[in-house]
């Protein structure tokens, strides 16, 4: 270890009202990358993630699903945790705001703020958005009713409440932004925050009485009808995870090196959180880094559109490391990004396949052909000092990019050494060197390429850990703090070694591997459209397109019998079915029903099949039809004839 400086890195704690999507994965993967780099460089890292489980929104989500709030929170929290585990996220602690130590820590904080004169009781009347768990003033509302953040309807809430003296901290906050210009990253975002604070801060209502699912006030307050505002509860996780209010054992990790968040929650982190910390007498975090928003194929992701990108599905099909690389390389930190398979495939084929994977293949080829796989570095500096200098100049620039969250620039700069390597092969042409009897020069060229690949693998490891370990394995070294010191800081080359042949790392992808949006989501959106209306019949007739009978009969629905069923490997959602609909061969149907049916219970049963649908590919498998099904809160049911019907019978 070069030193034992501490680095505390956090993600937001995610609400348990939904399962993880690409946006959550993005924040977590950035944090994981920073944590991995910090460890590699010898820092003593503590990396925190977790789930945010209190508040009215979650109480309501549980109710809708007919579950107890705790049971519901347990289930969804576990899905986040297992996704991060499956993704190899290197977190040191996973906090849940329903954990007893957290609750105790939040109560301690409330008590301290109260003792410091920063909390007082009053009554509150305001427009409240349950979805955002935020009060708004009348002028902030859209059309006098709707939430300016999410567009949903707000409700008027009048209740007794405790308030935090946020207004008292206005000047201190402005001073902080001024003195620490990189406290908010990217720096452009800092101006937004400053403008907001300069506009004047109102005291903040920090308790609620209208629901129960939250942290109670400390016993000493003797006011049992209040629960704490979910953001006070949630933000405190960053210190309760270190033992604040309990054994305080890990409080020496505080202050955080960086809180990674999305831009949607910047205000809470850049205004409320430092004000709370000042009230508690704790130091302020070094950076609050807010990234931008992901859309899909140019559209906002939403469940009703059925276009939410499932990170597990993408990682399964395209490779986790490739997905990580894509997300971090594709958008400048702070900017919005668009997810499309095309953009992902381009990155894999071009940056990864052509520039990186191919270079390793070339080295394996050259060293195998001329030197039986031996690679020696002794004469590299003799022949290729200029190339080495260029490579090291690039590598020296990298670390600050990473710690300032300019990860796209980090990756961009990291590709320069690869380009030096690829160009050197073209320029010095080892086959010509060999022909001219300059074996020493050719060997040194291989040594140069190997050194560049090794250095790039070390620095790329935080972004693509599995791939880089494979590259290191092929070059017979191990990526750790020692090799980071030697190859990056001390500019060493590799020792002599025999290269290990490995399979190509990035096989070329010719066409999108996923072709269809999950049918379940489409039904979900139809269900929503029909549910939300309290409108008159006329309005309804206008809103829903009526179709003629001929139009309906364009859809050929047929009764089929499932003759074979099996699970689709690596997919939690899909089953692969063969359905006999009275044709010469059964139809192959890939159906997103695995959560509700096992293959054994399906074989021999009848279903209703859309038989004239254009074939689609799902997880690389052809699907030649779709099953009709209905899904509500209690699950999904296939539609079947009431009594058995001959296969191929038309449904009309
Ligand atoms: O806000 N693009 O939790 P949350 C990019 N519990 N990032 C996205 C995204 C998208 N489309 N959608 C979500 C909360 N995110 C609170 C946090 S912290 C003390 C409490 C990411 O489940 C992004 O990081 O709504 C955003 O900040 C976070 O998910 C919000 O997650």
């Amino acid at each position: 270890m070069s030193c034992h400086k501490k680095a505390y890195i956090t993600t937001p704690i995610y609400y348990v009202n939904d399962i993880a999507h690409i946006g959550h994965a993005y924040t977590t993967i950035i944090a994981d990358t920073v944590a991995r780099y910090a460890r590699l460089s010898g820092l003593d890292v503590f990396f925190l993630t977790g789930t945010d489980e209190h508040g009215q929104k979650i109480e309501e989500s549980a109710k809708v699903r007919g579950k107890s709030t705790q049971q519901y929170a347990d289930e969804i929290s576990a899905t986040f945790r297992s996704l991060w585990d499956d993704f190899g996220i290197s977190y040191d602690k996973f906090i849940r705001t329903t954990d007893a130590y957290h609750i105790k820590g939040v109560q301690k904080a409330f008590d301290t703020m109260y003792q410091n004169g920063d909390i007082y009781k009053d009554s509150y009347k305001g427009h409240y958005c349950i979805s955002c768990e935020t009060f708004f003033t009348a002028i902030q509302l859209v059309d006098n009713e709707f939430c300016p953040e999410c567009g949903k309807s707000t409700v008027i809430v009048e209740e007794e409440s405790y308030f935090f003296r946020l207004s008292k901290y206005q000047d201190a906050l402005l001073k902080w932004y001024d003195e620490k210009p990189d406290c908010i990253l990217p720096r452009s975002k800092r101006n937004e925050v400053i403008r907001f604070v300069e506009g004047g801060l109102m005291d903040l209502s920090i308790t609620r009485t209208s629901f129960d699912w939250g942290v109670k006030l400390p016993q000493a307050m003797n006011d049992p009808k209040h629960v704490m505002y979910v953001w006070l509860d949630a933000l405190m996780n960053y210190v309760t995870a270190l033992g604040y209010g309990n054994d305080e054992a890990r409080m020496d990790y505080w202050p955080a090196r960086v809180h990674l968040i999305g831009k949607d929650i910047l205000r809470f982190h850049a205004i409320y959180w430092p004000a709370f910390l000042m009230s508690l007498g704790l130091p302020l975090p070094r950076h609050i880094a807010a990234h931008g928003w992901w859309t899909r194929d140019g559209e906002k992701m939403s469940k009703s559109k059925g276009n939410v990108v499932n990170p597990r599905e993408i990682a399964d099909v395209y490779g986790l490391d490739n997905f990580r690389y894509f997300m971090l390389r594709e958008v400048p930190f702070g900017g919005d990004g668009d997810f499309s398979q095309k953009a992902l495939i381009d990155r894999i084929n071009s940056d990864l396949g052509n520039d990186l994977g191919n270079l390793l293949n070339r080295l394996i080829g050259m060293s195998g052909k001329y030197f039986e796989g031996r690679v020696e570095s002794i004469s590299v500096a003799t022949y290729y000092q200029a190339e080495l200098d260029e490579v090291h100049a690039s590598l020296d620039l990298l670390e600050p990019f990473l710690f300032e969250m300019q990860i796209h620039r980090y990756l961009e700069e990291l590709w320069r050494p690869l380009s030096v390597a690829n160009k050197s092969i073209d320029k010095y042409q080892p086959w010509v060197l060999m022909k001219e009897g300059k074996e020493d020069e050719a060997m040194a060229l291989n040594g140069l390429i190997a050194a560049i690949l090794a250095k790039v693998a070390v620095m790329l490891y935080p972004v693509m850990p599995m791939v880089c370990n494979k590259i290191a394995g092929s070059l017979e070294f191990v990526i750790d703090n020692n090799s980071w010191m030697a190859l990056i800081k001390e500019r060493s080359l590799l020792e002599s070694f025999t290269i290990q042949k490995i399979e190509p790392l990035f096989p070329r992808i010719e066409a999108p591997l996923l072709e269809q949006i999950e049918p379940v989501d489409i039904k979900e959106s139809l269900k929503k459209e029909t549910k939300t209306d309290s409108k008159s019949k006329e309005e309804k007739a206008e809103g829903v397109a009526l179709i003629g009978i001929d139009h309906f009969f364009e859809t050929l629905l047929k009764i089929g019998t499932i003759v074979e069923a099996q699970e689709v490997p690596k997919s939690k959602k899909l089953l692969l079915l063969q359905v006999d609909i009275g044709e010469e061969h059964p139809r192959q149907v890939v159906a997103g029903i695995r959560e509700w049916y096992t293959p054994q219970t399906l074989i021999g049963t009848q279903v209703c099949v859309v038989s004239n649908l254009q074939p689609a590919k799902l997880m690389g498998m052809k699907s030649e039809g779709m099953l009709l099904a209905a899904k509500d809160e209690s699950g999904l049911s296939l539609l079947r004839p009431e009594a058995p019907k001959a296969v191929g019978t038309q449904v009309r």
Side-chain angles (χ1 to χ4, degrees):
M1 288 264 171
S2 56
C3 66
H4 292 281
K5 268 182 29 199
K6 294 193 173 346
Y8 181 34
I9 295 157
T10 69
T11 74
I13 46 172
Y14 302 109
Y15 282 130
V16 292
N17 63 338
D18 206 351
I19 54 168
H21 62 67
I22 181 184
H24 304 118
Y26 181 53
T27 323
T28 307
I29 286 169
I30 298 173
D32 184 61
T33 297
V34 176
R36 283 174 186 270
Y37 184 81
R39 280 191 208 104
L40 201 57
S41 71
L43 298 182
D44 175 6
V45 172
F46 195 75
F47 172 17
L48 176 73
T49 190
T51 44
D52 187 357
E53 307 186 8
H54 287 129
Q56 198 165 0
K57 182 158 64 169
I58 288 156
E59 200 175 65
E60 290 187 356
S61 292
K63 217 181 276 168
V64 166
R65 289 164 179 81
K67 302 203 162 157
S68 83
T69 319
Q70 187 63 57
Q71 183 198 359
Y72 172 69
D74 288 348
E75 282 173 18
I76 307 277
S77 177
T79 66
F80 273 95
R81 192 171 182 146
S82 70
L83 179 67
W84 305 149
D85 287 342
D86 293 349
F87 273 16
I89 299 298
S90 61
Y91 63 85
D92 294 292
K93 188 174 174 71
F94 187 98
I95 190 170
R96 302 183 54 189
T97 55
T98 49
D99 289 338
Y101 69 87
H102 169 76
I103 293 171
K104 191 170 158 217
V106 177
Q107 289 170 332
K108 158 90 186 296
F110 191 99
D111 191 48
T112 308
M113 291 173 177
Y114 188 76
Q115 299 302 331
N116 291 345
D118 282 342
I119 290 179
Y120 62 93
K121 195 169 176 178
D122 203 343
S123 95
Y124 191 90
K125 184 171 177 187
H127 305 268
Y128 193 72
C129 172
I130 295 174
S131 183
C132 298
E133 304 275 15
T134 306
F135 277 105
F136 294 98
T137 59
I139 37 170
Q140 288 175 311
L141 298 183
V142 176
D143 292 341
N144 298 323
E145 181 188 343
F146 302 102
C147 170
E149 304 264 327
C150 72
K152 291 192 186 137
S153 208
T154 54
V155 287
I156 293 186
V157 170
E158 179 164 19
E159 57 187 38
E160 181 187 281
S161 175
Y162 286 86
F163 284 80
F164 174 75
R165 287 189 203 281
L166 187 61
S167 57
K168 173 176 150 187
Y169 290 96
Q170 179 161 341
D171 292 342
L173 285 168
L174 289 170
K175 189 158 168 262
W176 182 52
Y177 308 138
D178 187 47
E179 284 174 356
K180 298 274 162 35
D182 60 358
C183 62
I184 297 165
L185 297 172
R187 291 183 186 208
S188 55
K189 288 256 182 347
R190 172 170 149 263
N191 301 328
E192 281 171 34
V193 174
I194 292 177
R195 247 174 284 130
F196 188 90
V197 175
E198 282 174 344
L201 293 178
M202 290 192 307
D203 288 350
L204 186 69
S205 161
I206 51 163
T207 67
R208 304 287 314 278
T209 54
S210 57
F211 67 95
D212 226 24
W213 184 245
V215 179
K216 300 266 183 281
L217 303 200
Q219 282 260 307
M221 299 296 297
N222 201 15
D223 211 345
K225 62 178 187 295
H226 288 264
V227 295
M228 278 187 228
Y229 174 48
V230 61
W231 272 101
L232 172 60
D233 165 3
L235 287 163
M236 285 305 301
N237 93 89
Y238 299 131
V239 289
T240 60
L242 301 179
Y244 176 86
N246 285 276
D247 62 6
E248 314 250 326
R250 294 207 199 87
M251 276 305 279
D252 53 352
Y253 281 99
W254 190 258
R257 171 95 189 211
V258 58
H259 292 308
L260 272 154
I261 57 169
K263 64 180 182 181
D264 56 321
I265 55 176
L266 178 59
R267 209 189 301 160
F268 300 100
H269 282 79
I271 302 174
Y272 299 176
W273 180 228
F276 293 158
L277 287 167
M278 288 185 213
S279 175
L280 295 172
L282 290 172
L284 306 189
R286 185 146 153 203
H287 304 297
I288 295 160
H291 63 67
W293 220 236
W294 279 94
T295 51
R296 173 170 181 168
D297 298 315
E299 287 191 68
K300 200 178 157 160
M301 283 186 285
S302 77
K303 264 200 283 182
S304 56
K305 279 195 205 134
N307 66 346
V308 177
V309 181
N310 177 349
R312 201 187 274 279
E313 188 175 34
I314 302 300
D316 277 354
V317 174
Y318 286 98
L320 175 60
D321 277 8
N322 297 345
F323 176 53
R324 286 173 65 113
Y325 173 80
F326 165 76
M327 288 211 288
L328 299 190
R329 178 66 185 83
E330 187 70 5
V331 268
F333 186 88
D336 294 337
D338 187 47
F339 181 87
S340 73
Q341 294 192 70
K342 183 177 177 319
L344 172 59
I345 292 169
D346 284 351
R347 288 281 174 203
I348 295 174
N349 287 344
S350 161
D351 301 10
L352 297 176
N354 292 349
D355 301 343
L356 174 61
N358 228 5
L359 183 63
L360 180 62
N361 291 345
R362 289 174 101 178
L363 179 65
I364 292 175
M366 291 186 306
S367 54
K369 184 159 174 197
Y370 306 129
F371 305 109
E372 293 169 336
R374 290 297 299 161
V375 179
E376 276 159 27
S377 306
I378 307 145
S379 309
V380 174
T382 316
Y383 297 107
Y384 304 108
Q385 190 57 47
E387 283 77 9
L388 280 178
D389 288 345
E390 200 179 339
V391 166
H392 289 135
S394 271
L395 295 174
D396 284 348
L397 297 174
L398 293 178
E399 189 173 292
F401 284 141
L402 188 107
F403 283 128
E404 284 168 26
M405 298 308 131
Q406 300 278 308
I407 302 181
H408 63 290
R409 295 197 56 193
Y410 177 94
L411 289 170
E412 203 174 33
E413 194 63 44
L414 185 54
W415 251 242
R416 239 181 265 268
L418 293 178
S419 143
V420 170
N422 278 308
K423 280 192 194 136
S424 301
I425 301 177
D426 299 341
K427 181 171 164 194
Y428 299 109
Q429 304 186 320
W431 51 95
V432 175
L433 294 176
M434 290 303 288
K435 232 187 254 161
E436 293 172 351
K438 297 175 179 165
E439 265 190 35
D440 197 33
E441 257 173 78
M443 176 57 99
L445 184 64
N446 281 355
L448 172 73
I449 307 302
I452 294 176
L453 271 168
K455 288 166 197 273
V456 169
V458 169
M459 294 305 268
L460 184 60
Y461 166 86
V463 177
M464 306 186 75
M466 285 179 296
V467 163
C468 292
N469 279 337
K470 279 191 199 160
I471 297 175
S474 168
L475 303 179
E476 296 265 284
F477 80 105
V478 174
I479 297 175
D480 58 14
N481 177 247
N482 293 328
S483 52
W484 176 84
M485 272 309 270
L487 289 163
I488 306 301
K489 289 284 128 171
E490 290 156 11
R491 303 184 163 193
S492 314
L493 306 176
L494 289 173
E495 318 256 303
S496 299
F497 67 97
T498 301
I499 201 161
Q500 303 298 312
K501 279 191 195 163
I502 55 171
E503 294 288 302
L505 293 169
F506 310 103
R508 215 182 150 72
I509 301 173
E510 298 296 347
L513 302 175
L514 289 163
E515 264 183 29
Q516 197 165 307
I517 295 168
E518 293 286 306
V520 169
D521 291 328
I522 295 168
K523 291 192 200 95
E524 190 106 71
S525 78
L526 291 177
K527 192 182 75 194
K528 278 210 175 106
E529 272 169 32
T530 47
K531 224 169 83 177
T532 49
D533 46 13
S534 54
K535 294 177 184 165
S536 70
K537 262 193 190 156
E538 288 75 13
E539 277 178 299
K540 268 191 227 166
E542 256 177 33
V544 179
L546 297 177
I547 56 165
I549 187 91
D550 295 345
H551 198 160
F552 172 72
F553 281 125
E554 281 173 19
T555 314
L556 260 187
L557 301 172
K558 288 189 175 171
I559 297 299
T561 298
I562 298 177
V563 291
E564 235 178 274
Q566 64 195 85
E567 288 167 352
V568 172
K570 288 196 186 165
S571 166
K572 290 226 157 130
K573 288 195 172 163
L574 300 179
L575 290 181
L576 180 63
L577 310 173
Q578 306 298 330
V579 188
D580 179 2
I581 57 166
E583 297 170 344
E584 194 179 341
H585 300 291
R587 292 278 187 104
Q588 171 158 304
V589 176
V590 182
I593 57 173
R594 181 165 170 185
E595 286 168 67
W596 301 278
Y597 292 93
T598 59
Q600 297 75 11
T601 57
L602 287 172
I603 294 172
T605 64
Q606 290 206 307
V607 284
C608 189
V609 184
V610 182
S611 66
N612 61 338
L613 206 60
Q614 276 208 336
K617 252 192 189 170
L618 286 165
M619 304 267 296
M621 284 167 309
K622 198 167 182 190
S623 184
E624 307 164 308
M626 195 173 97
L627 306 188
L628 295 191
K631 185 173 156 245
D632 64 7
E633 278 90 38
S634 67
L636 175 140
S637 301
L638 289 166
L639 297 187
R640 308 176 183 287
E642 195 182 18
K645 289 286 153 226
V647 291
T649 305
Q650 210 183 327
V651 179
R652 20 175 84 235

